[in-house]
Amino acid sequence: MQQGGTIACTSTETQQRPRSPMPMARGSNLGLLKEKLAAAEAITVLTGAGISADSGVPTFRGTDGLWKNFRAEDLATPEAFERDPHLVWEWYNWRRELIATKQPNDAHKALAELERRCPDFWLMTQNVDGLHRDAGSRKLSEIHGNIWKVRCTGCGVVANNRDVPIAILPSCSRCGSLLRPHIVWFGESLSPDDLDDCSRALKHCDVLLVIGTSGVVYPAAGFASVAKEGGAFVAEINLDPTPQSAPVDLSLHGRAKDLVPLLLQPL
Ligand code: BJW
Ligand code: ZN
C-alpha cells in the first residue's frame, strides 16, 4: 500500500492472496522498483556480502574477495575443521577482529526501516557479520549462521560469544568439548527452521529484492527462481551483473549503500 508516496505496507495478510495487476513501467528502473514496493503487501529481501562491503567487510569472490587469498576447502568445510581446528579458528579470530570494528551502513539501516514500514517483511541474509541485527533488523534469517555465535561439537549447545580475540581452542563450559563457529560451511545443511521461514517468505512475497550477492552458492542461489515462480517481482541491486541478472525483472547497478536508501524516498 502506498501512503503519502512512500513505502508503507499496511496489510498483515500473508497467505495465498490473489495478486492484483501492477502498474505499468513508468520512468526509470529505480522509479519502477519504488512503485512495485509501494504497491506490495509482502516484501522479502536476500542479502549477500556486497551489502557489508560498504561497511568495510571483505566479500568472498572478486578481485579483493577472501577466496583470492584463502582456499574455502581449507577453512570453510567440516573436513577442514576436523583436520586443523587451530587454523580454522585462527581465520575466524582474524575475521572477528576485523568485523568487530565495522558498523552497519546506510543500506543495512534502510532495510531495518523498510521492516518497520512493512508488517509483512522478511530478510534473509547470507552474511554472518551480524550487521543487519546491529542496524535494527529483527525479522530475519541468518541462513549461514553468525560469527558471534559458537556451537559445541559435543553437546550441540549454541551460545553468544563476542570475545575478541577468542581463546584458541575454545571449549564448552558445559561438557568441555571443542567449540566451533556457528556457521554453515560448504557441504553442511542450512537449519530446517531457516529453510522453512525462507520458503514461506519467498512463496508469498510480492517483491523480492536481491542485494549484493554473486548468486552462486546454493540454496540461496535458487531463491530468486522460487520467488518468481510464486509470481513475485524480482529486483537485483549489485555493483555488477550476476548469474541472477537474466531471470530477474529489474537490475540496478551501483553500491548498495547508495541505492537501497533511495528505495525509501517518496515516489
Ligand atoms: C556489491 C558491492 C556493493 C560488492 N554494493 N553490491 C551444485 C548445485 C547445488 C548445490 C551445490 C552444488 N555443488 C555444491 C553445492 C553445495 C554448495 C554450493 O552451493 N556450492 C556452490 C559454490 C556450487 N552449498 C552448500 O554446501 C550449502 N549447503 C547445502 O547446499 O546443503 C545441502 C547440500 C550439501 C552438499 C551438496 C549438495 C547439497 C552451504 C553453503 C554455505 C556457504 N558458506 C559460505 C562460507 C561461510 C564461511 C564464513 O563466512 O565464515 O558463506 S560460502 C560464502 O559464499 C559465504 C557467503 O554467505 C556465500 C555467498 O557469497 P555472497 O554473499 O554472494 O558473496 P560474494 O563475494 O560471492 O559476492 C558479493 C557480491 O556483492 C558480488 O556480486 C559483488 O558484485 C557484489 N558487491 N560490493 C552492491 N558495495
Ligand atoms: Zn558442550
Side-chain angles (χ1 to χ4, degrees):
M1 294 286 163
Q2 192 178 321
Q3 235 176 38
T6 57
I7 299 162
C9 316
T10 50
S11 171
T12 52
E13 183 191 358
T14 56
Q15 301 291 331
Q16 304 292 320
R17 285 180 320 283
R19 289 170 194 282
S20 56
M22 295 290 185
M24 294 300 291
R26 207 172 66 211
S28 66
N29 270 356
L30 176 64
L32 173 61
L33 179 53
K34 284 164 68 174
E35 284 177 17
K36 296 290 184 187
L37 288 167
E41 290 179 352
I43 298 173
T44 298
V45 182
L46 169 67
T47 64
I51 195 168
S52 292
D54 286 332
S55 293
V57 180
T59 61
F60 291 90
R61 296 162 190 87
T63 38
D64 298 325
L66 289 171
W67 297 153
K68 276 275 169 210
N69 297 315
F70 304 98
R71 280 160 39 95
E73 305 88 311
D74 293 338
L75 297 163
T77 64
E79 294 78 19
F81 190 69
E82 227 166 85
R83 205 166 44 238
D84 195 344
H86 201 279
L87 175 75
V88 173
W89 263 120
E90 277 188 338
W91 188 61
Y92 278 97
N93 217 0
W94 170 71
R95 289 180 58 209
R96 285 161 72 102
E97 282 174 356
L98 188 133
I99 290 168
T101 65
K102 307 304 178 200
Q103 304 296 324
N105 63 56
D106 288 348
H108 296 103
K109 291 175 194 166
L111 292 180
E113 175 60 21
L114 194 53
E115 174 184 320
R116 284 188 283 274
R117 292 190 193 181
C118 180
D120 198 345
F121 177 91
W122 199 254
L123 171 59
M124 311 170 297
T125 186
Q126 298 168 87
N127 299 344
V128 300
D129 53 38
L131 291 181
H132 282 299
R133 258 183 216 288
D134 292 349
S137 289
R138 290 295 174 268
K139 293 181 180 172
L140 84 164
S141 306
E142 293 174 311
I143 63 173
H144 291 164
N146 187 303
I147 202 162
W148 302 115
K149 291 183 179 173
V150 292
R151 184 165 86 242
C152 178
T153 56
C155 67
V157 75
V158 175
N160 292 320
N161 182 310
R162 300 234 26 144
D163 295 350
V164 177
I166 191 168
I168 296 179
L169 299 164
S171 58
C172 176
S173 55
R174 280 168 51 162
C175 76
S177 302
L178 179 63
L179 296 173
R180 59 164 279 179
H182 185 50
I183 282 183
V184 181
W185 287 323
F186 282 114
E188 294 186 314
S189 295
L190 280 63
S191 112
D193 284 351
D194 283 344
L195 286 172
D196 283 353
D197 287 341
C198 292
S199 172
R200 203 173 309 115
L202 289 163
K203 283 179 181 156
H204 91 267
C205 67
D206 300 302
V207 176
L208 171 70
L209 294 176
V210 180
I211 304 171
T213 176
S214 56
V216 296
V217 176
Y218 284 85
F223 285 0
S225 305
V226 175
K228 259 197 94 57
E229 278 160 25
F233 182 87
V234 180
E236 173 190 59
I237 294 180
N238 199 301
L239 275 182
D240 300 310
T242 73
Q244 306 279 358
S245 302
V248 303
D249 295 298
L250 180 156
S251 289
L252 295 177
H253 292 135
R255 292 190 174 282
K257 79 166 169 47
D258 298 330
L259 292 174
V260 182
L262 296 181
L263 302 177
L264 297 176
Q265 289 183 355
L267 283 168

